[in-house]
């Protein structure tokens, strides 16, 4: 049953590739239809079968192909019993915020039986991004790649690979993830964790009963392959390495970087990384594990401390069958960093630099109009009177930005902003800095409770913004991968301990900092980013660990319209879902 399901997915993926190659000659409109449905045939992993929500019957979902400058039109039809919305993660959505996708931020969800057409133009981006459900925990299975090729005739700024392969990391849950988060919400405790990690939906041979469910990358000697890496896991940052091979990083979050070569890399949920893999010059007489395992500094709670393996296997020139796999060959295994190896993570992220060439400049804001200082971390809510809660000291787990645990409204923020009817929906008084400063990475305060609210920051169009995100150790120091919708930003500085507003800015890189859409706030540390508020609308910003999002580690920005016609958000589409 599982084999036929995978075969069907592979056939559909090949068909999509062929369709894309045909469509390239027709123009610059890429049209897709996404049918969201509960898979009628159960999917088997880890000797256990379950029904899952899929798009077009595929897991992972279909790949969206486009070129820079194309208009993408995707009709999403919701055949599932759940409310649904799709986010096109990393797409700038210039003036097209109605197509961004987060439920109750830019749109009301698509109700069961409903549909919505997402339209957006890809402007100034090329590389790998991805799409995923953006409501509750449904992105556990509702996700897929977005591959953006350069404009026709424009080469990569590195040697063209012989082949390109999407490699999507995910999680597999034997349980229903909607039931998992529902139970955690009711009890106030931490949710259960996934049972396995996956590569392109497959857990691999290191898990029980999973040898047949292994992603295998067949390669030829002396070739170069571009792996388009995506971390779609719900709750885990991941180390990745291939035994006996190095990886040259050339692109992150659909932005070119100065190439550098590593044995192992880190990729947080939400991030993408394109790497070049050059195979050995001759047949090596061995196969090689491709491993991914978690990075975590969590002091308490449980997490999925397992390892997913794919297999890199070479075509044997002495074999007459390209499908043949010699099981007698030795399988080499890479050595991954320790699960809490923060120094490795720091050293790796420090290597990321924008290309910063005349053709691909790094337009870092040199002057700043508005500065913000946000604390990000965990906290608590009091348990209800006479209630029983499973959080710290009988409380409920919570998470907050500047002590505000964000509460989603019952209508979409963008619609409220656009119509001028924000009263009773949100307040425009999100604190620009902590109201009660403390030693953020030192001894935690006695009171760990956080407030609730739907509070936003309002920015004038064109403002240059500097934001320092400071991790806290209130309930233990953890890394938080933060994603900003609607913008790329430059990571101009980062460090450990408490941010020093006098001395740390002097160390900023304002020449070639990495540009991306998702950045890890270091455990017990800080990160400084800069961006230009040149995209009118309402834009979500949140940790991409889904458990932290559920606890409130999120907020939103309002960017007002500019004075010129091309600086104003476009009117809402007629089929915009209603709450």
């Amino acid at each position: 049953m599982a084999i036929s399901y995978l075969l069907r997915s592979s056939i559909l993926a090949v068909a999509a590739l062929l369709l894309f190659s045909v469509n390239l000659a027709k123009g610059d409109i890429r049209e897709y239809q996404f049918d969201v449905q509960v898979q009628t045939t159960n999917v088997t992993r880890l000797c256990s079968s379950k029904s899952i929500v899929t798009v077009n019957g595929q897991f992972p979902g279909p790949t969206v192909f486009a070129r820079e400058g194309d208009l993408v039109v995707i009709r999403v039809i919701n055949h599932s019993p759940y409310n649904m919305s799709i986010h096109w993660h990393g797409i700038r959505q210039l003036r097209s915020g109605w197509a961004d996708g987060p439920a109750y931020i830019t749109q009301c969800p698509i109700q069961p039986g409903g549909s919505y057409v997402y339209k957006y133009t890809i402007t100034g981006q090329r590389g790998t991004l991805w799409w995923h459900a953006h409501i509750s925990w449904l992105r556990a299975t509702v996700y897929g790649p977005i591959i953006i090729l350069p404009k026709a005739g424009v080469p990569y700024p590195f040697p063209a690979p012989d082949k390109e392969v999407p490699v999507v990391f995910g999680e597999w849950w034997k349980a229903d993830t909607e039931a998992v988060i529902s139970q955690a919400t009711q009890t106030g405790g931490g949710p259960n964790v996934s049972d396995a990690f996956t590569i392109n939906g497959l857990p691999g041979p290191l898990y029980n009963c999973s040898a047949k469910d292994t992603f295998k990358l067949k390669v030829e000697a002396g070739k170069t392959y571009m792996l388009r890496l995506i971390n779609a896991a719900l709750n885990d940052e991941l180390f990745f390495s291939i035994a006996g091979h190095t990886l040259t990083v050339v692109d992150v979050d659909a932005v070119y970087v100065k190439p550098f070569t590593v044995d192992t890399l880190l990729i947080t949920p939400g991030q993408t990384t394109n790497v070049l893999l050059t195979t050995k010059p001759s047949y090596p007489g061995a196969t090689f594990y491709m491993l991914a395992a978690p990075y975590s500094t969590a002091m308490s709670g449980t997490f999925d401390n397992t390892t997913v393996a794919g297999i890199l296997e070479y075509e044997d020139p002495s074999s007459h069958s390209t499908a043949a796999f010699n099981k007698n060959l030795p399988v080499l295994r890479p050595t991954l960093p320790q699960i809490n190896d923060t120094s490795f993570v720091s050293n790796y992220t420090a290597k990321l630099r924008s290309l910063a060439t005349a053709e691909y400049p790094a337009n870092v804001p040199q002057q700043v109009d508005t500065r913000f200082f946000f604390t990000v971390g965990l906290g608590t809510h009091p348990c209800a009177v006479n209630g029983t809660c499973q959080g710290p000291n009988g409380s409920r787990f919570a998470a907050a930005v500047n002590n505000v645990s964000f509460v989603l409204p019952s209508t979409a923020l963008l619609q409220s902003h656009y119509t001028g009817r924000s009263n009773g929906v949100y307040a425009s008084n999100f604190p620009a800095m902590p109201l009660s400063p403390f030693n953020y990475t030192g001894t935690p305060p006695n009171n760990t409770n956080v407030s609730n609210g739907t509070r936003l920051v309002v920015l004038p169009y064109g403002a240059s913004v500097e934001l320092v995100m400071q991790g806290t150790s209130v309930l233990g120091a953890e890394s938080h991968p933060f994603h900003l919708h609607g913008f790329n930003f430059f990571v101009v500085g980062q460090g450990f301990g408490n941010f020093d507003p006098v001395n740390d800015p002097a160390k900023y890189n304002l020449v070639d900092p990495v540009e991306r859409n998702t950045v890890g706030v270091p455990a017990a540390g800080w990160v400084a980013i800069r961006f230009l508020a040149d995209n009118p609308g309402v834009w979500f910003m949140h940790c991409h660990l889904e458990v932290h999002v559920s606890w409130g580690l999120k907020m939103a920005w309002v960017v007002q319209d500019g004075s010129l016609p091309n600086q104003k958000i476009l009117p809402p589409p007629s089929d915009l879902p209603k709450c």
Side-chain angles (χ1 to χ4, degrees), residues 217-221 282-287 312-329:
L217 178 59
K218 195 84 170 182
V219 298
E220 297 179 47
S282 59
Y283 180 68
T287 57
L312 181 75
E313 52 188 46
Y314 280 70
E315 291 190 9
D316 185 351
S318 65
S319 171
H320 297 293
S321 172
T322 58
F325 173 51
N326 187 347
K327 295 182 179 180
N328 296 321
L329 292 177

Side-chain angles (χ1 to χ4, degrees), residues 253-458:
D253 292 359
V255 181
Y256 297 132
V257 297
K258 290 183 173 69
F260 64 97
T261 300
V262 295
D263 296 317
T264 303
L265 58 81
L266 176 83
I267 185 167
T268 77
Q271 290 183 340
T272 63
T273 304
N274 286 359
V275 298
L276 298 180
L277 164 70
T278 300
T279 57
K280 297 182 181 300
S282 59
Y283 180 68
T287 57
F288 306 87
Y289 271 144
M290 304 182 287
L291 298 185
Y295 162 63
S296 176
T297 58
M299 310 272 282
S300 59
T302 57
F303 51 90
D304 186 348
N305 187 12
T306 62
T307 302
V308 59
I311 294 179
L312 181 75
E313 52 188 46
Y314 280 70
E315 291 190 9
D316 185 351
S318 65
S319 171
H320 297 293
S321 172
T322 58
F325 173 51
N326 187 347
K327 295 182 179 180
N328 296 321
L329 292 177
V331 181
L332 304 184
R333 179 171 183 153
T335 301
L336 293 175
Q338 294 296 309
I339 189 169
N340 62 349
D341 194 342
T342 296
S343 63
F344 173 91
V345 172
S346 177
N347 290 335
Y348 172 76
T349 55
K351 295 175 183 175
L352 292 165
R353 291 282 188 270
S354 286
L355 209 50
T357 61
E359 190 172 4
Y360 303 104
N363 296 316
V364 190
Q366 299 296 310
Q367 305 297 322
V368 174
D369 298 319
T370 312
R371 285 183 166 84
F372 297 90
F373 183 84
F374 290 176
T375 58
V376 298
L378 305 186
T380 58
H381 285 319
C383 195
V385 177
N386 298 325
T388 301
C389 296
Q390 298 177 2
N393 301 316
S395 67
R396 303 177 63 83
F397 270 112
V401 181
N402 273 358
N403 209 52
V404 179
S405 187
F406 191 85
V407 178
L408 283 176
S410 57
T411 189
L413 295 174
L414 179 57
Q415 188 170 6
S416 301
H417 162 66
Y418 184 82
T419 59
R421 298 173 183 171
S422 62
N423 190 32
V425 180
Y426 67 86
S428 302
N429 61 352
F430 191 90
M433 60 187 63
L435 300 180
S436 300
F438 61 97
N439 183 359
Y440 307 114
T441 57
T443 303
N446 292 328
N447 182 3
T448 60
N449 287 340
V450 299
S451 65
N452 279 336
T454 309
R455 303 165 67 181
L456 280 61
V457 174
V458 178

Side-chain angles (χ1 to χ4, degrees), residues 461-481:
Y461 181 89
S464 56
V465 178
E466 178 178 304
L467 168 63
V468 175
M469 289 183 281
Q470 172 72 61
T472 71
S473 56
V474 172
L475 291 181
E478 295 187 44
S479 175
H480 298 285

